[in-house]
Amino acid sequence: MVEELINEILMAAGTLMIVVGAIADLTGSIGLLRFPNFFVRLHAATVGTIWGAFVPLIGAALFAAGYVELGTHRWFVTGGAAVTALLILLLGPVGSHALARASYRSKAAIPYPLIHDALKEKFREGGKE
Amino acid sequence: MVRRMNELNTFLFNILLFSLFFNVGISLYGIFARPSLIKKIIALTIFSDTANVLAIIVGYRGWPSPEQPPIPPVITSTEPTSEDLIRFINRAVDPLPQALVLTAIVIGLAVTLFLIFLTLQVYRLYGTTDVRRVARLRG
Amino acid sequence: MRFVGKVLGVFFLVFIIYVVFSGSVSAYDLITGVLVALATSVITANLVISNPSKLIQVWRLGWLLIYSIRYFFVDEVRAHLDVMRRILHPKMPINPGIVKVPYEVVSDYAMLTIANSITNTPGTVVVDVFPEEKAFYVHWINAVATESAEARKHVSEVFERFAKRIFD
Amino acid sequence: MYYLSIGVLVPSLLGLAFVLPLLGMIIKNIRFFHAYASITSLYALIVAAYNFNIVVREGPKAYPFGGWWPPIGISYEIDEINSLIALLTASVMFLITLYSAWYIRSLKDAPYYYTLLLGLEVGMLGCIYTGDAFNLFVMLEVMSISAYALVGFHRNKPEAIEAAIKYGLFGAVATTIYFIALVFIYASFGTLNMADLTNKVTLFWGHNLVSGLYYGQIYAATAVALALSLWAFTFKSAIFPNHFWLPDAHPEAPTPVSAALSGLVVNVGVYAIFRFFYTIFNPFSLMSDLRDMILLVTLILGLASGLIGAFMMVVQDDIKRLLAYSTISHIGLVLIGLSIGSSLISRPDSQAFVDGLTGAFYHLINHSIGKSLLFLASGVIIYMAGGTRKLDELGGVARKNPVLGIVLITGVLQLLGIPPFGGFFSKYLLYVSYLEAGAPYISVIINIISAVSLLGYVRLLYSVFFIIPKREFVRTSRLPLAVLLVLSVACLITGLLSPIISYWLRGFVEATTSKDGILNYWVQGYLVFWGG
Amino acid sequence: MIELSTLTYLFMAMTGVVSLVATYLAILESNLIKAVVLSAIQSTTYVILFYLLMAPDIALVYIPVSVGLYPAAVLFLIKKTERTENDSNEVVASED
Amino acid sequence: MRIKKLLVLGSLILLVLTFSLAFARGALGYYPLPLPRVRMLASWYLYTTLNPQYTNFTAMSPVAVAAIVWDYRGLDTLFETAVFFLAVVGALTLMRGVTLKSVLNNANNKDNNYGLSLISKTAARLLTPLIIAVSASIALHGHLTHGGGFQGGSAAAVAPLLVLVIFSVYFLLSRGISEKPMFMLWTAGLLGIYLTTLAAVFIGLLTGLNAYVFQNQPKFDAPVGLPAQISGTLISGSLFFLNIFEYLAVAGEFTLVFILLSMPEEVVKSFISGETYE
Amino acid sequence: MNSELYLSVVFWVIPIYLTAFALYSVRAVKGPTIPDSVLAIDSMSYDLAAFITILSILFHSPILIAVAMVLALWVFALDIYVAKYLESREMGE
């Protein structure tokens, strides 16, 4: 009985997170299309990554943990989704940062217009690049 | 209703098939007509990948019912009974093309890696990867 | 001795990830997990952990827990809603700028935590980091403050407070 | 009774290749590798001879790998023809390996060279032995990738690298196309085993216990599959539209490798065409009209490549390039012989049919021996002439070294088709078969091909023999000459024993391509395992 | 009422069309790095296809090979050689 | 030019849509969806891949693909490994004589000058053991769920590849991951694969029983077999060993290839120039 | 047990995800710069990982999940390669 209640709660929470994730995902993709340059698009991509992928993955993990009909292999889903979510939490920002830094330094993407650019001043002082 | 649904499904599936056929054509154009060796290698990978997807499609099976998808060819219990096996056979997709594609992917990767080394060597010797210029330099 | 500590730290990390990813706790998983974790930790211990004594200070884990709850339920929600509003707003109100955000933590992992926290909240992305200057350069979608001390208060103060407690 | 020797030959050779790079890191003495490679290829020769003996005594035999009976598992199936070609391959490879010990002496990288050479041998033997269409694809790749790497072995030579990448790029396309053909075959027949395919196409039994009957529209699918696989096989054996890589690749490879590529590797494509269009899609099959069309195409392609090879030979001024074009011409001749089975040309059990196939295989053997001989001899000549390959600069090398001269004449006469040598009898059989089939104009074209190529060979002989040497040549050691002598004796034997050889070959061809032979292939390859 | 099967087939069709677009642009792109990135899009679509065609085993092989190893190897190669394809028949596409 | 490209693309897509619609409406003969049944051979594989009732006719692995790859059609896979082996040997042939020590000596070896930012480096440090753990899990469960040696090995190769890219090749070399250990790992894996495929034959020769090359489980006419279970845990005989060895071989192979690819160009050129051939 | 209800809610998430993927691929194909395309592939793959997990629940095939993780891992590697390509003089340095 208690077990069923716990499963129910897990599935409800999972569903909620999945739905939130889907909406955030759609918003992120719209932002990626609408925003004017690469550096601003990074923010939209973060929306798509954290709420669009991390949250629904955790939701799916909870859902699978509560969804008995998947059989004994449901822990496989839970574990896989949890590890994937953790990895995305670690990898997503690092990837964004690496891309941003590379494209700023190599001028592959131009961040302007900006209201303030501390990095440009830094490079001008240091005489780099 | 069922027939209309079936026709819609067929239409959607055919889009996939014809996209893949067109991919074969485009990538062959890339291999034969583009001048850069690197572009040729990229086109070669696309070509072999498309062949692999076609092979997998051959092994796919239709849905037994609209809510019941086919399952991957893995038995989920380690001590299956006869009923388990019958249910498994009735829903699992064909494993043989998957095994063939596994082999083909690795082979394609091996050949491509070797071609990449060869292209590097071509660049070291000729200073270009453009086949037209290579042919001209060779005389 | 120090090396053993490092190995043990990596060992538990790898072992937990292995078992969670395998999704079962049968004897086969446990035995292979121990073997894999042992091999991996011996190979990579020096790369991963530099100060093993921090691993046994359990209160750090408690701070990590508090921090993650606060991060996911307060900071993330606020930042997400803000950026989603900007995306869906017909006029798309953005005000981007790259600001300098200094930090004070010592260890690399603390720095990584702050940087990832900044990047993971939409609206701020770490573009560059200069360890010798101890400063992030953050691309901020709504740069209300261009001066570095002010910007730090907006962007990274909370993260830094927790990161210091967890890793330093 | 399952003979382990059939199954164990190719995998064990592969294992011997696996350890070679590691040994190369440990052992620095180059002689060890010469010995290792020679012993390995001698082992291959002995086992191949043993397998041939089995087939001669007991008929076709199959070996199921893993104990999985076909078509569930893969099986090797050898009959008279493919065990003979395997024996030929193993023996010529043995001589080439011996010769390599002389050739590779100055390079420090013997382990890698021998690994690749062993890989080439593994690939060829696997292609020939296999009884499974997909395994043929894998083995083709094993063979091809070693060939690409060996062509580019002289890494600092721009031409070699360019030839290697051309060969490799389009070779990869060809094998992928063969893979697509296999997808079609599996989609329509539901099996990949050659014996089982034979049954389904010929309807010996029809519905198979394991793999059912047909699926979907087999006729269109088979047409596509056959066209695609023909493309791949013609690429591997350098038949006319796909011959463009050969004149670059074969001359630029190290000389022993050129001999292996020209003498043996091209045989594999021809053998695959034989296996596909005489055993699987045999004259008695349901789809024989498709097969007739395709064999007509191969006839045209064979004629074209015979003529093109012969004409291009005449205008070459590079000795190895000349020999490479001669390969195209000779493989064209072999393909002409193989195309006789189209029922538009001859009936399946007629005299012409057997004569044409006998001639084709006889010519295949003659060409392998003669071409390897000439390429290996050209290596010695180039060495003696100080590295030049231009015909005009060779200036009478053979006069300095009479053994070399005799050997060279033997090889040229073998390929040219002059009576005491084998080439004459095989060309004669090809000529006669088309006369018997009522297509004399093709016989005439065969003669024209021979006549045109005569000019090319005469140029070769002229520059090597009839110019008075004006400069000093490097002296060469005995080992390569001994190998060459063995090969030239083989040339003489194929000629002198031609009645016996052609009698045997005729028997083999009849046993393989008659209806009973095909039935027997299926029975040995499939039915025996299922106790039928 | 839409069904799971139709949605799956719709997903297949979408990925097919996207792969066609990506392939076409990758072959015609004269900037080789862009071509690599576009072929990575094509690879991603094929991963989806492998997944939807119930071949996760293939997907597991194909992802490392096509998303990870090919681009890496080709980018190593491009870094050492040439960045663009010098196709005289085409104007080099400008970045906007 | 851009307009032309877009036009061609649009017409291509339109062509695809038209063709599919025509075929779906039955214009050129009805092209149906895949049928809801598989080929007969496939059902044999599915039925015998793990079937405790037929102990003489099963591969004892729940994963049909892995069973086909390593047991039913093991020969293909052995030679696929051979293709990879020969390709890498070919690459080594092209790079012969170029040793890593020389590369190290020629470079001014300071880690800080190379590589990406500190954030990426710290993340890579943390990521390395995680990747190895996950890849080992994929490889070691190859006989039970999806995955296997190649999958796991190629995932494991990400770790050295990421370290190579994020830090630099010099960092990798200073940590002892160089040509020679990878070479050893690779050859060890290959030999393991090879010996496993012949294991049943050796057992058969020793015991005087009939056995086939590549045999895994006992057959009707060949009672030799590798253990399918160890104290109740399924290990599927040779599949388990083959997965392990393939994992080692593939990880070593890829690392070797990328170390070769990342060598600085000037060093390689100085080695290659000046060779002569006859 | 209301698993049916939850499943039907999750089912209606699919079209939203498909729309998002379409938009992502528009950005990925359009560019205009290389980092833009890579960023779009990146976000798309992470979302794909989530979507794959949801689908494997809907398909009742738990084994399909392993794909998600490997996808996330390797797409990150793609980011790093491109970043390194843009930044450095040679890939190995």
Side-chain angles (χ1 to χ4, degrees):
Chain A
M1 190 60 210
V2 177
E3 197 177 326
E4 275 182 17
L5 190 68
I6 291 172
N7 286 346
E8 186 94 24
I9 292 170
L10 284 175
M11 284 169 74
T15 313
L16 182 71
M17 289 169 95
I18 288 171
V19 171
V20 167
I23 294 164
D25 192 18
L26 190 62
T27 319
S29 64
I30 292 170
L32 208 64
L33 267 185
R34 280 189 79 194
F35 277 161
N37 66 44
F38 169 71
F39 286 85
V40 187
R41 281 181 203 134
L42 277 172
H43 305 298
T46 313
V47 173
T49 310
I50 299 303
W51 269 22
F54 176 76
V55 168
L57 272 169
I58 297 288
L62 297 181
F63 194 102
Y67 188 34
V68 186
E69 285 148 55
L70 278 179
T72 49
H73 272 64
R74 72 177 190 272
W75 298 113
F76 192 55
V77 177
T78 310
V83 172
T84 314
L86 273 180
L87 272 178
I88 285 180
L89 200 63
L90 179 62
L91 299 180
V94 175
S96 300
H97 155 71
L99 268 181
R101 178 174 128 128
S103 43
Y104 191 92
R105 292 199 167 189
S106 69
K107 300 186 178 57
I110 311 296
Y112 301 103
L114 286 177
I115 59 163
H116 177 72
D117 193 346
L119 200 53
K120 194 176 175 185
E121 289 161 18
K122 153 88 181 165
F123 278 140
R124 197 178 294 145
E125 281 167 26
K128 278 188 188 175
E129 247 87 346
Chain B
M1 183 63 198
V2 170
R3 199 176 152 271
R4 285 199 77 89
M5 230 40 209
N6 213 5
E7 212 159 81
L8 178 63
N9 288 351
T10 315
F11 172 62
L12 292 171
F13 193 71
N14 282 355
I15 292 177
L16 169 63
L17 276 181
F18 281 101
S19 315
L20 291 177
F21 290 151
F22 276 63
N23 275 354
V24 170
I26 295 169
S27 50
L28 278 178
Y29 162 78
I31 295 169
F32 286 106
R34 302 303 292 184
S36 165
L37 278 173
I38 300 172
K39 184 56 78 59
K40 279 176 198 274
I41 289 175
I42 294 173
L44 178 68
T45 62
I46 295 178
F47 177 54
S48 52
D49 291 351
T50 313
N52 294 339
V53 180
L54 284 174
I56 294 290
I57 285 178
V58 163
Y60 193 56
R61 73 192 292 169
W63 290 43
S65 78
E67 285 81 29
Q68 236 191 353
I71 55 172
V74 179
I75 302 175
T76 43
S77 81
T78 48
E79 290 283 328
T81 58
S82 302
E83 296 85 58
D84 284 347
L85 280 173
I86 298 294
R87 220 177 301 129
F88 176 62
I89 291 175
N90 285 333
R91 281 188 61 196
V93 299
D94 192 343
L96 183 61
Q98 299 194 9
L100 303 187
V101 167
L102 209 62
T103 309
I105 286 178
V106 179
I107 287 176
L109 173 67
V111 175
T112 311
L113 279 181
F114 180 65
L115 286 179
I116 282 172
F117 274 92
L118 269 180
T119 310
L120 196 52
Q121 195 70 23
V122 166
Y123 185 79
R124 281 175 194 146
L125 297 176
Y126 286 95
T128 177
T129 57
D130 189 324
V131 283
R132 294 169 307 186
R133 277 208 267 162
V134 167
R136 216 178 302 140
L137 286 172
R138 198 168 149 262
Chain C
M1 197 54 222
R2 219 174 145 76
F3 184 72
V4 174
K6 289 178 187 178
V7 167
L8 276 180
V10 182
F11 178 87
F12 282 111
L13 179 73
V14 171
F15 183 70
I16 290 169
I17 291 287
Y18 183 93
V19 172
V20 169
F21 186 73
S22 303
S24 72
V25 283
S26 65
Y28 176 80
D29 288 314
L30 294 179
I31 292 169
T32 51
V34 166
L35 292 177
V36 168
L38 210 60
T40 314
S41 52
V42 169
I43 295 169
T44 60
N46 276 326
L47 185 70
V48 180
I49 296 177
S50 51
N51 189 359
S53 60
K54 282 180 196 165
L55 286 170
I56 46 172
Q57 298 164 346
V58 186
W59 63 87
R60 290 177 192 273
L61 278 177
W63 279 115
L64 182 63
L65 198 66
I66 296 170
Y67 172 57
S68 42
I69 291 170
R70 140 116 211 200
Y71 180 71
F72 286 115
F73 287 94
V74 181
D75 299 322
E76 284 279 18
V77 173
R78 204 188 291 147
H80 270 90
L81 291 179
D82 180 57
V83 173
M84 280 160 81
R85 186 180 60 81
R86 282 172 207 277
I87 291 170
L88 296 174
H89 197 282
K91 281 190 198 148
M92 218 167 53
I94 53 168
N95 194 17
I98 295 180
V99 294
K100 178 178 171 181
V101 179
Y103 66 90
E104 278 170 3
V105 292
V106 181
S107 77
D108 284 352
Y109 282 116
M111 191 276 305
L112 179 70
T113 312
I114 299 171
N116 275 5
S117 302
I118 292 174
T119 312
N120 267 341
T121 44
T124 46
V125 169
V126 176
V127 177
D128 214 333
V129 56
F130 291 95
E132 62 274 19
E133 196 184 342
K134 278 192 172 292
F136 299 120
Y137 285 82
V138 177
H139 186 276
W140 194 0
I141 198 167
N142 182 26
V144 291
T146 53
E147 210 269 323
S148 60
E150 190 79 4
R152 181 180 175 184
K153 198 181 275 175
H154 280 92
V155 176
S156 71
E157 200 166 31
V158 181
F159 308 145
E160 195 168 338
R161 208 167 59 222
F162 280 100
K164 214 174 214 169
R165 285 188 181 144
I166 298 170
F167 288 106
D168 271 0
Chain D
M1 178 67 202
Y2 308 120
Y3 290 98
L4 191 63
S5 67
I6 301 170
V8 91
L9 168 60
V10 183
S12 59
L13 278 181
L14 182 65
L16 292 171
F18 274 166
V19 287
L20 205 43
L22 187 68
L23 290 178
M25 288 193 107
I26 299 166
I27 300 169
K28 295 293 172 210
N29 187 357
I30 197 166
R31 283 202 182 151
F32 171 77
F33 295 103
H34 298 324
Y36 186 91
S38 307
I39 291 170
T40 310
S41 53
L42 181 65
Y43 157 73
L45 172 60
I46 290 169
V47 181
Y50 180 69
N51 288 344
F52 179 65
N53 185 31
I54 292 172
V55 172
V56 170
R57 274 191 288 118
E58 303 180 23
K61 278 278 168 277
Y63 185 85
F65 280 96
W68 292 106
W69 302 336
I72 292 183
I74 298 175
S75 63
Y76 273 179
E77 178 153 12
I78 54 173
D79 60 6
E80 286 84 353
I81 292 293
N82 65 4
S83 58
L84 177 65
I85 296 179
L87 178 60
L88 173 75
T89 306
S91 38
V92 178
M93 274 309 275
F94 172 60
L95 294 174
I96 287 173
T97 314
L98 283 183
Y99 180 91
S100 295
W102 170 75
Y103 184 82
I104 204 79
R105 72 204 173 281
S106 57
L107 296 173
K108 287 185 193 120
D109 319 293
Y112 292 148
Y113 174 83
Y114 281 128
T115 311
L116 293 170
L117 202 64
L118 210 54
L120 191 70
E121 182 166 7
V122 166
M124 284 191 290
L125 288 177
C127 282
I128 291 165
Y129 271 178
T130 189
D132 188 280
F134 187 77
N135 193 240
L136 178 60
F137 164 75
V138 178
M139 300 314 299
L140 273 178
E141 282 285 9
V142 173
M143 183 186 87
S144 316
I145 196 136
S146 343
Y148 312 149
L150 283 171
V151 169
F153 191 77
H154 287 166
R155 61 173 171 187
N156 220 18
K157 223 178 184 183
E159 297 87 4
I161 297 295
E162 201 239 345
I165 198 156
K166 203 194 237 178
Y167 186 18
L169 198 62
F170 294 108
V173 177
T175 42
T176 311
I177 282 179
Y178 179 57
F179 178 71
I180 295 179
L182 285 178
V183 170
F184 276 100
I185 286 179
Y186 179 70
S188 39
F189 291 103
T191 181
L192 290 166
N193 185 267
M194 287 181 182
D196 195 17
L197 276 173
T198 310
N199 165 40
K200 290 191 176 188
V201 175
T202 325
L203 282 185
F204 286 130
W205 191 344
H207 189 277
N208 185 307
L209 187 64
V210 181
S211 58
L213 192 57
Y214 307 127
Y215 301 88
Q217 304 266 338
I218 51 165
Y219 198 85
T222 312
V224 175
L226 288 186
L228 294 179
S229 43
L230 184 70
W231 202 93
F233 297 149
T234 50
F235 184 91
K236 289 294 166 207
S237 53
I239 306 294
F240 156 59
N242 295 326
H243 70 283
F244 56 88
W245 55 272
L246 190 143
D248 292 334
H250 285 193
E252 298 305 336
T255 303
V257 178
S258 306
L261 290 176
S262 256
L264 300 172
V265 170
V266 288
N267 293 355
V268 171
V270 173
Y271 164 74
I273 290 175
F274 170 77
R275 191 48 88 204
F276 261 65
F277 297 109
Y278 284 88
T279 306
I280 299 175
F281 296 92
N282 52 59
F284 316 100
S285 64
L286 295 180
M287 277 165 278
S288 59
D289 46 344
L290 253 178
R291 172 183 172 276
D292 293 342
M293 294 305 295
I294 283 176
L295 283 180
L296 221 52
V297 171
T298 58
L299 176 61
I300 294 164
L301 295 184
L303 289 171
S305 57
L307 284 173
I308 285 174
F311 277 112
M312 291 299 287
M313 250 174 88
V314 181
V315 297
Q316 299 306 318
D317 57 353
D318 176 332
I319 177 169
K320 284 177 88 173
R321 224 175 154 76
L322 185 148
L323 292 175
Y325 272 109
S326 135
T327 303
I328 296 176
S329 165
H330 281 283
I331 290 298
L333 280 178
V334 173
L335 200 66
I336 294 172
L338 272 188
S339 309
I340 199 153
S342 170
S343 65
L344 304 172
I345 301 173
S346 72
R347 296 195 48 73
D349 37 10
S350 64
Q351 183 69 21
F353 182 91
V354 178
D355 273 351
L357 287 181
T358 312
F361 285 112
Y362 200 179
H363 198 69
L364 195 79
I365 294 167
N366 290 334
H367 171 248
S368 290
I369 296 172
K371 187 50 61 67
S372 325
L373 170 57
L374 281 186
F375 258 117
L376 296 181
S378 81
V380 179
I381 291 172
I382 292 166
Y383 171 71
M384 286 175 71
T388 182
R389 279 168 29 185
K390 293 264 176 278
L391 280 176
D392 302 333
E393 293 166 21
L394 293 179
V397 178
R399 291 200 168 199
K400 285 280 173 186
N401 193 334
V403 180
L404 186 63
I406 293 168
V407 161
L408 206 64
I409 290 181
T410 327
V412 168
L413 294 185
Q414 166 89 339
L415 289 185
L416 201 52
I418 302 296
F421 293 99
F424 170 75
F425 299 100
S426 55
K427 277 188 180 171
Y428 178 74
L429 271 174
L430 291 176
Y431 176 80
V432 163
S433 68
Y434 273 93
L435 279 185
E436 282 167 347
Y441 40 90
I442 293 174
S443 309
V444 172
I445 296 178
I446 292 174
N447 275 356
I448 292 174
I449 292 171
S450 300
V452 174
S453 60
L454 175 66
L455 294 174
Y457 291 124
V458 165
R459 270 198 78 193
L460 170 63
L461 286 184
Y462 175 78
S463 61
V464 177
F465 274 100
F466 297 108
I467 299 176
I468 312 283
K470 291 192 185 96
R471 60 180 173 125
E472 280 302 305
F473 291 110
V474 188
R475 291 176 69 86
T476 181
S477 59
R478 288 208 192 107
L479 176 64
L481 291 180
V483 171
L484 292 176
L485 271 179
V486 171
L487 275 170
S488 55
V489 169
C491 284
L492 205 60
I493 288 173
T494 54
L496 293 180
L497 297 185
S498 76
I500 301 170
I501 292 177
S502 58
Y503 173 77
W504 273 40
L505 269 176
R506 197 180 295 266
F508 290 167
V509 164
E510 272 170 356
T512 318
T513 58
S514 66
K515 187 154 189 173
D516 286 345
I518 295 162
L519 185 68
N520 197 19
Y521 186 83
W522 171 58
V523 168
Q524 289 296 330
Y526 172 75
L527 214 54
V528 161
F529 298 106
W530 293 88
Chain E
M1 184 61 198
I2 200 157
E3 281 157 350
L4 190 55
S5 63
T6 310
L7 270 183
T8 312
Y9 284 123
L10 175 69
F11 199 14
M12 284 184 197
M14 268 173 58
T15 47
V17 172
V18 174
S19 78
L20 176 63
V21 173
T23 308
Y24 176 78
L25 293 177
I27 299 291
L28 288 197
E29 181 63 62
S30 58
N31 185 340
L32 289 172
I33 311 157
K34 274 193 179 177
V36 173
V37 172
L38 284 166
S39 79
I41 299 175
Q42 168 264 334
S43 310
T44 316
T45 59
Y46 281 7
V47 170
I48 302 172
L49 282 179
F50 285 133
Y51 178 85
L52 290 178
L53 294 170
M54 297 294 152
D57 226 332
I58 307 301
L60 276 183
V61 182
Y62 184 75
I63 294 167
V65 168
S66 69
V67 182
L69 295 172
Y70 279 145
V74 177
L75 283 176
F76 273 81
L77 177 63
I78 296 174
K79 194 78 192 179
K80 285 175 186 248
T81 59
E82 295 170 330
R83 198 192 154 121
T84 53
E85 184 179 30
N86 302 315
D87 191 350
S88 56
N89 302 323
E90 266 190 54
V91 183
V92 176
S94 61
E95 295 185 357
D96 53 350
Chain F
M1 217 55 224
R2 167 155 283 200
I3 304 282
K4 192 184 154 200
K5 225 185 209 178
L6 282 179
L7 274 180
V8 175
L9 188 57
S11 49
L12 271 179
I13 294 174
L14 216 59
L15 214 57
V16 166
L17 291 180
T18 327
F19 270 133
S20 352
L21 193 61
F23 275 71
R25 302 290 299 181
L28 300 164
Y30 193 62
Y31 200 91
L33 283 172
L35 295 174
R37 61 184 172 84
V38 286
R39 291 174 180 73
M40 227 173 122
L41 186 60
S43 33
W44 272 82
Y45 286 128
L46 295 173
Y47 191 59
T48 58
T49 179
L50 175 58
N51 196 334
Q53 283 97 343
Y54 296 100
T55 43
N56 279 337
F57 211 76
T58 171
M60 288 308 280
S61 166
V63 197
V65 179
I68 293 175
V69 164
W70 283 125
D71 191 357
Y72 297 102
R73 298 181 72 88
L75 192 71
D76 279 350
T77 311
L78 179 67
F79 285 107
E80 162 221 297
T81 315
V83 174
F84 214 127
F85 165 77
L86 289 168
V88 177
V89 169
L92 284 169
T93 313
L94 287 176
M95 302 288 277
R96 60 185 181 259
V98 187
T99 54
L100 286 161
K101 272 196 184 137
S102 58
V103 176
L104 266 180
N105 292 339
N106 284 22
N108 48 342
N109 188 8
K110 280 183 205 152
D111 288 333
N112 296 334
N113 294 345
Y114 302 112
L116 298 175
S117 69
L118 186 62
I119 295 177
S120 317
K121 283 182 180 172
T122 315
R125 279 167 54 190
L126 190 57
L127 209 54
T128 314
L130 297 190
I131 291 174
I132 296 178
V134 167
S135 68
S137 174
I138 292 176
L140 287 171
H141 291 81
H143 59 289
L144 295 172
T145 63
H146 286 294
F150 189 85
Q151 289 92 323
S154 53
V158 188
L161 186 54
L162 275 183
V163 172
L164 196 158
V165 172
I166 289 180
F167 291 85
S168 67
V169 67
Y170 310 120
F171 180 82
L172 205 63
L173 297 184
S174 70
R175 295 274 161 167
I177 299 179
S178 71
E179 181 177 51
K180 245 180 193 170
M182 289 301 118
F183 207 95
M184 299 287 181
L185 197 65
W186 177 41
T187 316
L190 288 178
L191 283 180
I193 292 172
Y194 178 66
L195 292 179
T196 314
T197 60
L198 287 184
V201 173
F202 289 140
I203 298 172
L205 287 179
L206 288 179
T207 54
L209 295 169
N210 185 21
Y212 294 100
V213 184
F214 284 99
Q215 187 168 347
N216 176 10
Q217 297 304 312
K219 298 288 176 314
F220 291 116
D221 53 348
V224 175
L226 300 173
Q229 290 176 329
I230 291 181
S231 64
T233 310
L234 197 66
I235 65 161
S236 306
S238 63
L239 265 69
F240 176 72
F241 302 105
L242 287 169
N243 278 328
I244 292 175
F245 291 127
E246 176 89 354
Y247 176 77
L248 297 179
V250 169
E253 230 163 23
F254 278 134
T255 313
L256 187 59
V257 165
F258 279 98
I259 287 176
L260 285 183
L261 261 181
S262 65
M263 292 209 192
E265 198 58 19
E266 306 95 61
V267 183
V268 180
K269 266 189 182 155
S270 68
F271 269 91
I272 286 181
S273 58
E275 278 181 18
T276 49
Y277 316 101
E278 44 194 77
Chain G
M1 285 301 283
N2 283 330
S3 62
E4 298 288 317
L5 175 72
Y6 295 125
L7 276 183
S8 62
V9 172
V10 173
F11 176 81
W12 284 105
V13 162
I14 298 178
I16 306 178
Y17 266 100
L18 292 191
T19 323
F21 291 143
L23 296 177
Y24 278 132
S25 25
V26 169
R27 176 49 78 199
V29 168
K30 211 167 133 194
T33 63
I34 295 156
D36 277 312
S37 299
V38 177
L39 187 66
I41 297 175
D42 205 12
S43 320
M44 187 166 86
S45 304
Y46 291 145
D47 293 342
L48 202 58
F51 186 56
I52 277 174
T53 316
I54 295 167
L55 270 190
S56 69
I57 293 174
L58 282 177
F59 284 161
H60 287 221
S61 305
I63 321 188
L64 289 167
I65 171 79
V67 179
M69 204 212 96
V70 178
L71 187 65
L73 200 63
W74 278 99
V75 166
F76 166 71
L78 182 70
D79 281 9
I80 295 293
Y81 304 147
V82 174
K84 180 85 175 188
Y85 180 90
L86 293 173
E87 241 183 58
S88 68
R89 198 169 54 83
E90 188 150 353
M91 288 294 274
E93 294 187 341

